[in-house]
């Protein structure tokens, strides 16, 4: 069978793959997008959320957030994607609007527009990007097509092997100058490389987090925002995110090792538990849109195709979660993927993909420089938070001398007490800036003073024993 040819072949049509395709096609590249899952149904937000089954993406129906840093990039590069989201029910969302009248914050400021994004569930965001991709003459979208293996070119003397395309079910082959693995946490490209005896470097966390989410709807509550998305408590965290079409989500986040809280997957146990948290309980008063959606095994992982200064293989790169995945608690996955797609586009402007070795090395170096510090920061947070939860599961208090964790805890304690601290925290959390914003004059001193003597958890909630009692209590209605 004759092979089709593309400048870039993208494996996976999630946010990472779609953004990559849109950016490369805008450069005049011929792009093919391949995904094993079916296309979305017709309709708006609720139709897409209820009717689109993406078996290849286990967290597809979970809570998601496009951070302001990612929204800014999307609005610049593909404003039509944002317009489609709004047409489907997404709404504008400022991530600090709920905090404007909390503590000493004293209202909005003129430059708070930088914290704008959209409240949108993932199926709606993905369907919007997909519609734009399908409408671009430079993009061919192939859905329902499973890739079986990579096509390898035997190396010349002194060169490593090179990927030249893929072979699909049914015998079809697709050749490409560059294969882009955007297959998400499963990283199918890395798995297919292992099948041919090539071993990318991989670092994977020993443990991860488990998510227990319910979606609700209410026009009254939907217009009222929590001061921030995440609340930390003894051995659990609670995440509240607005969505499209008048919906929002409430999520319990536990350690994947916490077997005693697996009962949160039961609707009645989940409801009894949320009532124990006065600051968050009212968010479960809306009309339930879903039962409890439980998703586990979401560990941080990092893969690299350049090992000890040499590429394992050329002709293939990984972007987004296929390169490095993080704890979804911070909602950084889509924004990081959009940034990575832009880095790939920029690398293709500088280096011809036909020079496979130079391209692989240049892209790996750009990724290391611009994105690895982010991943390391999230991975360090996960490591400390999981250690903290492990201690609390056995009634102990977690302490560490690591300045990274001490600074993060102090910043969380001080953000409601100072308007400048709040905005510095939002710049970092929204992926608009890095930790360098904490070097603004006087900010570190204010954070230290405001967090001195603060309790670890700033919002009322039960001890672990009371929480376990609520989760394991017998429900009178069966």
């Amino acid at each position: 069978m004759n092979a089709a040819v593309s400048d870039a072949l993208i494996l996976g049509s999630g946010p990472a793959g779609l953004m990559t395709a849109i950016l490369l096609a805008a450069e005049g590249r011929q792009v093919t997008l391949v995904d094993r899952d079916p296309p979305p149904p017709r309709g708006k937000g609720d139709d897409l959320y209820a009717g689109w089954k993406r078996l290849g993406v286990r967290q597809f129906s979970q809570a998601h957030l496009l951070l302001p840093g990612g929204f800014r990039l999307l609005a610049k590069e593909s404003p039509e994607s944002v317009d489609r989201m709004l047409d489907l029910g997404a709404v504008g969302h400022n991530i600090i609007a709920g905090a404007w009248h909390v503590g000493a914050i004293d209202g909005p400021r003129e430059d708070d527009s930088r914290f704008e994004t959209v409240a949108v569930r993932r199926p709606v965001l993905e369907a919007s990007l997909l519609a734009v991709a399908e409408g671009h003459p430079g993009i061919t979208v192939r859905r329902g097509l499973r890739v079986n293996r990579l096509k390898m070119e035997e190396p010349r003397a002194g060169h490593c092997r090179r990927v030249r395309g893929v072979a699909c079910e049914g015998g079809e082959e697709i050749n490409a100058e560059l294969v882009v693995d955007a297959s998400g946490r499963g990283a199918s490209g890395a798995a297919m490389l292992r099948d041919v005896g090539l071993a990318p470097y991989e670092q994977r966390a020993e443990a991860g987090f488990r998510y227990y989410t319910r979606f609700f709807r209410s026009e009254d509550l939907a217009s009222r925002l929590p001061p921030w998305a995440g609340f930390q408590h003894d051995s659990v965290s609670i995440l509240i995110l607005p969505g499209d079409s008048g919906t929002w989500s409430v999520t319990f986040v536990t350690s994947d090792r916490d077997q005693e809280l697996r009962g949160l997957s039961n609707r009645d146990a989940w409801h009894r538990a949320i009532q124990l948290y006065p600051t968050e309980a009212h968010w479960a008063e809306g009309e339930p849109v879903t039962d409890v959606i439980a998703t586990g095994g979401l560990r941080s992982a990092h893969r690299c195709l350049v090992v000890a200064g040499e590429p394992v293989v050329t002709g293939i790169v990984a972007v987004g979660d296929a390169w490095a995945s993080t704890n979804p608690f911070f909602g950084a996955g889509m924004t990081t993927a959009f940034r990575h797609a832009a880095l790939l586009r920029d690398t293709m402007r500088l280096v011809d993909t036909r020079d496979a070795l130079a391209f692989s090395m240049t892209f790996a170096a750009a990724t290391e420089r611009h994105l690895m510090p982010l991943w390391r920061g999230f991975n360090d947070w996960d490591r400390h938070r999981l250690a903290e939860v492990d201690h609390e599961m056995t009634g102990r208090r977690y302490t560490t001398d690591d300045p990274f964790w001490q600074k993060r805890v102090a910043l969380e304690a001080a953000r409601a007490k100072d308007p400048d601290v709040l905005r510095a925290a939002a710049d970092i959390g929204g992926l608009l800036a890095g930790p360098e914003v904490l070097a603004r004059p006087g900010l570190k001193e204010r954070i230290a003073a405001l967090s001195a003597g603060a309790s670890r958890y700033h919002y009322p909630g039960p001890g672990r024993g009371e929480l376990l009692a609520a989760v394991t209590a017998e429900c009178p209605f069966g």
Side-chain angles (χ1 to χ4, degrees), residues 282-435:
H282 69 284
W283 290 101
E285 294 174 0
E287 172 195 353
V289 176
T290 68
D291 207 334
V292 179
I293 305 166
T295 307
L298 301 180
R299 302 182 184 186
S300 295
H302 163 235
R303 306 168 190 89
C304 186
L305 295 174
V306 175
V307 179
E310 297 290 336
V312 174
V313 64
T314 63
I316 184 171
V317 296
V319 298
D321 280 353
W323 159 70
S325 54
T326 59
N327 169 16
F329 181 80
F330 294 102
M334 289 191 290
T335 296
T336 303
F338 289 178
R339 283 189 176 183
H340 212 182
L343 272 182
L344 181 61
R345 185 266 318 272
D346 295 345
T347 304
M348 293 179 79
R349 288 174 174 173
L350 295 172
V351 183
D352 195 322
T353 53
R354 289 175 294 184
D355 188 346
L357 177 62
F359 186 86
S360 292
M361 296 297 290
T362 303
F363 182 62
T367 299
E368 174 72 25
R369 182 168 62 254
H370 294 287
L371 293 183
M372 270 305 293
L374 279 177
W375 184 82
R376 292 190 182 104
F378 287 125
N379 192 54
D380 284 346
W381 191 95
D382 290 357
R383 176 170 52 85
H384 283 291
R385 178 58 178 159
L386 286 166
E388 184 172 58
V389 170
D390 283 346
H391 278 68
E392 291 166 350
M393 286 165 59
T394 56
R396 296 173 294 154
R397 182 174 177 269
Y398 178 65
T399 59
T400 176
D401 293 330
D402 188 340
F404 167 84
W405 185 245
Q406 293 173 343
K407 290 175 184 176
R408 289 301 300 264
V409 170
L411 183 60
E412 186 179 300
R415 63 184 173 180
K417 302 174 183 179
D418 184 287
D420 294 323
V421 174
L422 169 71
R423 287 165 176 86
D427 279 328
I428 295 170
L431 294 191
L432 294 165

Side-chain angles (χ1 to χ4, degrees), residues 202-275:
E202 183 166 9
Q203 178 183 349
R204 182 178 292 273
E206 293 181 2
F209 295 89
R210 193 167 184 85
Y211 293 75
Y212 302 90
T213 298
R214 294 198 78 184
F215 280 83
F216 297 89
R217 174 183 283 108
S218 166
E219 293 303 326
D220 293 337
L221 271 179
S223 63
R224 291 160 48 198
L225 300 172
W228 23 75
F231 299 82
Q232 308 296 342
H233 294 281
D234 182 346
S235 74
V236 300
S237 303
I238 296 176
L239 187 64
I240 300 169
L241 295 177
D244 58 88
S245 311
T247 66
W248 69 90
S249 58
V250 181
T251 303
F252 279 100
V253 185
T254 72
S255 168
D256 232 355
R257 293 190 283 241
D258 196 339
Q259 298 291 328
E260 293 180 302
L261 287 180
R262 292 290 176 98
L264 285 169
S265 60
N266 175 274
R267 178 183 58 212
D268 297 314
W270 188 99
H271 189 73
R272 289 195 299 272
I274 198 66
Q275 300 307 309

Side-chain angles (χ1 to χ4, degrees), residues 93-103 105 224-231 240 242 279-280 282-283 415-416 422 425-426 459:
H93 170 56
N94 190 300
I95 64 168
I96 69 166
W100 279 336
H101 303 290
V102 170
I105 303 307
R224 291 160 48 198
L225 300 172
W228 23 75
F231 299 82
I240 300 169
T279 304
E280 299 97 308
H282 69 284
W283 290 101
R415 63 184 173 180
L422 169 71
Y459 294 91

